[in-house]
Amino acid sequence: DARVTQTPRHKVTEMGQEVTMRCQPILGHNTVFWYRQTMMQGLELLAYFRNRAPLDDSGMPKDRFSAEMPDATLATLKIQPSEPRDSAVYFCASGAFSRHTEAFFGQGTRLTVV
Amino acid sequence: LAKTTQPISMDSYEGQEVNITCSHNNIATNDYITWYQQFPSQGPRFIIQGYKTKVTNEVASLFIPADRKSSTLSLPRVSLSDTAVYYCLARNTGKLIFGQGTTLQVKP
């Protein structure tokens, strides 16, 4: 059963520390999304990639966030330095995209910055 | 990207049919209407997608009138396990933008 895998599932860190979240998209999917979800803001699109190239990262705070796809099996989202306001659930999703196809979401990484 | 508007919350009872309507007045010609479902502590899950008229799968039906300015997700005979947030999206390029969604509470 193909699925998007995110690690870690939970992360508690101190303010100022670097946080790296990882995502393994479904094999063969060429599009990857990163989202952040909070009660206040809902689901926010941070960045998305197609064929490993970033297409849109306008939703991401550039000074502290970075997203990369080192290869087709790994996407990373990094926060450096982390702040308490970054506390949220971060979701990765992948799809084999044309406009007719769906996105599959991972279980998310719950980040708490204290 | 077309902006979508849907009710913030709805209540229903087990066994009833639930219809959630989404407004997308500025939908573009190439946009498809897509619905996702999200349970607490899980990522969203695709339910159904359509362009016009009616689409039905094992989970739901989607009705889109000819002018495509709105759409209605229909869930037949809901159960307690259908309690979730339902998101309506209009998309064409593959970029998925989620609005606030509709929180459906199914009561016994």
Side-chain angles (χ1 to χ4, degrees):
Chain A
D1 189 20
R3 63 180 65 186
V4 175
T5 303
Q6 291 186 247
T7 56
R9 290 293 311 279
H10 303 273
K11 176 72 175 179
V12 180
T13 191
E14 293 185 345
M15 182 174 63
Q17 296 297 305
E18 178 179 295
V19 175
T20 299
M21 290 169 271
R22 293 176 174 81
C23 168
Q24 182 177 354
I26 293 173
L27 188 65
H29 283 184
N30 66 343
T31 304
V32 173
F33 300 90
W34 281 106
Y35 289 89
R36 174 172 63 184
Q37 187 169 37
T38 61
M39 287 293 293
M40 294 298 295
Q41 299 297 328
L43 269 165
E44 300 175 277
L45 177 64
L46 297 176
Y48 89 106
F49 294 76
R50 182 159 297 162
N51 297 322
R52 295 177 55 201
L55 287 190
D56 188 341
D57 61 1
S58 59
M60 204 163 61
K62 300 293 191 305
D63 56 338
R64 299 183 299 109
F65 284 60
S66 62
E68 296 179 344
M69 282 199 72
D71 60 62
T73 65
L74 177 65
T76 63
L77 180 66
K78 188 175 297 186
I79 308 174
Q80 168 63 20
S82 57
E83 297 180 2
R85 59 178 168 154
D86 300 329
S87 297
V89 180
Y90 290 81
F91 288 105
C92 173
S94 74
F97 265 96
S98 69
R99 62 188 179 209
H100 307 287
T101 59
E102 64 190 272
F104 294 81
F105 281 74
Q107 291 287 78
T109 293
R110 181 174 295 277
L111 174 65
T112 302
V113 183
V114 298
Chain B
L1 291 172
K3 177 178 168 57
T4 59
T5 304
Q6 49 184 126
I8 293 176
S9 65
M10 294 181 68
D11 288 342
S12 182
Y13 291 92
E14 283 190 290
Q16 289 188 333
E17 178 184 74
V18 171
N19 296 309
I20 306 175
T21 297
C22 178
S23 172
H24 27 81
N25 290 317
N26 61 340
I27 191 169
T29 302
N30 293 334
D31 285 347
Y32 277 66
I33 306 304
T34 307
W35 286 80
Y36 280 77
Q37 173 192 56
Q38 185 178 25
F39 297 114
S41 302
Q42 294 186 26
R45 182 177 71 111
F46 172 87
I47 301 177
I48 196 166
Q49 177 172 277
Y51 185 79
K52 60 181 177 181
T53 64
K54 178 182 176 181
V55 179
T56 298
N57 62 21
E58 65 277 6
V59 176
S61 295
L62 178 60
F63 301 90
I64 305 172
D67 66 7
R68 303 199 332 119
K69 294 185 181 301
S70 67
S71 59
T72 300
L73 175 73
S74 180
L75 304 172
R77 294 191 300 279
V78 294
S79 64
L80 296 177
S81 63
D82 292 315
T83 293
V85 180
Y86 292 82
Y87 297 96
C88 166
L89 296 83
R91 55 176 284 249
N92 56 13
T93 63
K95 187 173 174 177
L96 296 176
I97 302 296
F98 288 80
Q100 64 186 11
T102 297
T103 299
L104 172 66
Q105 179 70 50
V106 180
K107 303 175 182 178

